[in-house]
Amino acid sequence: MNDLLSVSFGELFLKGKNRNKFFKSAINNIKRNIKDIGYDDMYLESSKLYISADKEKFDSLIIEIKKVFGIIYISKIKKCDKDINKIEEATSEILDNMDLKDKTFKVETNRVDKSFDIQSPELSRIIGAYILKKYASKNNLSVNVHNPDFKVFIDIKKYAYIYADRIEGNGGLPVGSSGNGLLLLSGGIDSPVAGYMMAKRGMKINCIHFHSYPFTSKRALNKALDLAKILSQYTGEMKVFSINMAEIYKAINKNCNRNQTTILSRRFMMRISEKICQKNNYDAIITGESLGQVASQTLESMSVIGDATNYQIFKPLVALDKIEIINRAIHMGSYEKSIEPYDDCCSIFAPSNPITKPKLNYIKDSEKKLSIEKLESEAIENMEIFDI
């Protein structure tokens, strides 16, 4: 009898002919996350992944595997021969380590190997009767087929796999299975969550961070890089393109109405992001915008800002309120870092009375006063690239 971890995949089953591609992507992401912990073997059987490792490492492995998108359940399981006595023994080893007092249970069998001569309902009854005989009187344990406190699962494949605990994963699709996106990563709460949500839909994430040193400190950039590291636990390796906007902000302040600063600077960010996407074959731009949250995120502002690029812009937070975004940041582990008090370039140069309903023709008239190509080219030439 062996102790293993099993990994159950979610939406991968919906992907038809592309299923093997999705499995490969998910498994590669799992290997990436657990390589520092170590494991002995890994194999795929009937759409489940089985991992053998030192039992002492199981909890650490589960923490890292949970960060991989495309997974719905992770379980600690017993693997044994397809023999009733062996299955009963494995079931006992599992239940002996559980609190059964005043609980109800149900046995569910999935007979993948149809050559096994005991059908699923009959095997469930046999093991259910065994559990009742051994544990019922001592623990006041009973059967409830409709709403049990716990289930004992039996998968009959080449071997029998028995387990009772299913730890929920994050679901979604494996990172890298849905194209490449460039995330506008600030030092705030929203943008890391936006990257997380697009990665959950299978998008490979790289980041672009805009700063305005020396008007902002180096610590603000370091904070953004720390957020990228937290995000990379879910998305894997990424590049962070760091762009200094100081000269662009100075040009805007010198030549344009101050209340247009936010809109004009955001349009610069979109055009620069588009150029980075084109050079690196990225497919889309991702932002952390939430409708109505700040002046630059009114319907009118987002429309004028989006006009600056022909690229697809994904805004996964657009319909979420701040509490929902904060809860997701806490879940992914970025919240505490995001609230550290270092100003970003947007807050430093934000006007006291920003325009909330900009008109595109007025904004374009203001842009005529700026050397757009020169400012953008210099910003890109002087950018730093960090590998996370």
Side-chain angles (χ1 to χ4, degrees), residues 21 175-181 201-205 281-284:
K21 172 188 172 184
V175 171
S177 62
S178 299
N180 297 281
R201 299 312 306 155
M203 182 160 279
K204 175 67 176 171
I205 305 296
N281 295 316
Y282 301 151
D283 306 302

Side-chain angles (χ1 to χ4, degrees), residues 12 48 69 73 99 135 150 154 158 177 202 224 250 281 311 346:
L12 307 192
K48 272 191 181 181
F69 294 122
Y73 297 117
D99 177 13
Y135 298 99
F150 69 92
I154 305 171
K158 183 178 180 181
S177 62
K250 287 194 287 186
N281 295 316
Y311 258 62
C346 301

Side-chain angles (χ1 to χ4, degrees), residues 74 374 385:
I74 308 163
K374 180 175 181 291
I385 303 175

Side-chain angles (χ1 to χ4, degrees), residues 11-139:
E11 292 182 56
L12 307 192
F13 291 106
L14 305 177
K15 300 304 172 183
K17 294 180 180 179
N18 291 322
R19 187 178 302 168
N20 288 337
K21 172 188 172 184
F22 284 82
F23 278 135
K24 182 178 179 180
S25 180
I27 292 169
N28 286 340
N29 292 339
I30 291 170
K31 289 179 178 178
R32 177 200 72 217
N33 274 28
I34 67 174
K35 65 181 180 180
D36 291 337
I37 300 172
Y39 62 96
D40 298 324
D41 191 23
M42 182 184 297
Y43 62 93
L44 190 67
E45 183 180 352
S46 301
S47 301
K48 272 191 181 181
L49 184 69
Y50 296 96
I51 302 170
S52 62
D54 184 339
K55 280 182 66 177
E56 299 300 316
K57 296 179 178 180
F58 277 9
D59 289 339
S60 296
L61 288 168
I62 289 169
I63 289 171
E64 295 305 316
I65 294 169
K66 281 182 67 176
K67 295 175 182 176
V68 176
F69 294 122
I71 294 169
I72 53 171
Y73 297 117
I74 308 163
S75 299
K76 298 177 183 179
I77 68 169
K78 300 285 183 180
K79 172 187 174 183
C80 64
D81 292 331
K82 292 178 290 188
D83 172 83
I84 292 296
N85 292 330
K86 294 293 185 182
I87 294 172
E88 290 177 345
E89 181 184 347
T91 302
S92 290
E93 288 193 16
I94 292 170
L95 297 186
D96 285 345
N97 292 295
M98 293 176 60
D99 177 13
L100 306 178
K101 192 68 175 177
D102 300 322
K103 298 288 179 64
T104 59
F105 77 97
K106 176 185 180 181
V107 179
E108 287 190 1
T109 300
N110 178 26
R111 188 175 62 122
V112 177
D113 179 8
K114 302 303 181 184
S115 67
F116 185 65
D117 56 4
I118 304 176
Q119 295 187 359
S120 297
E122 180 61 21
L123 183 57
S124 293
R125 283 193 292 270
I126 292 170
I127 300 304
Y130 169 80
I131 293 171
L132 286 172
K133 181 178 179 181
K134 185 169 183 178
Y135 298 99
S137 59
K138 182 180 179 180
N139 296 280

Side-chain angles (χ1 to χ4, degrees), residues 295-326:
S296 65
Q297 295 175 16
T298 63
L299 181 61
E300 295 85 353
S301 294
M302 287 195 289
S303 177
V304 171
I305 292 167
D307 170 80
T309 176
N310 292 318
Y311 258 62
Q312 174 74 53
I313 303 174
F314 287 115
K315 305 172 184 179
L317 311 186
V318 70
L320 300 184
D321 63 34
K322 198 64 179 184
I323 298 301
E324 291 173 304
I325 297 169
I326 288 172

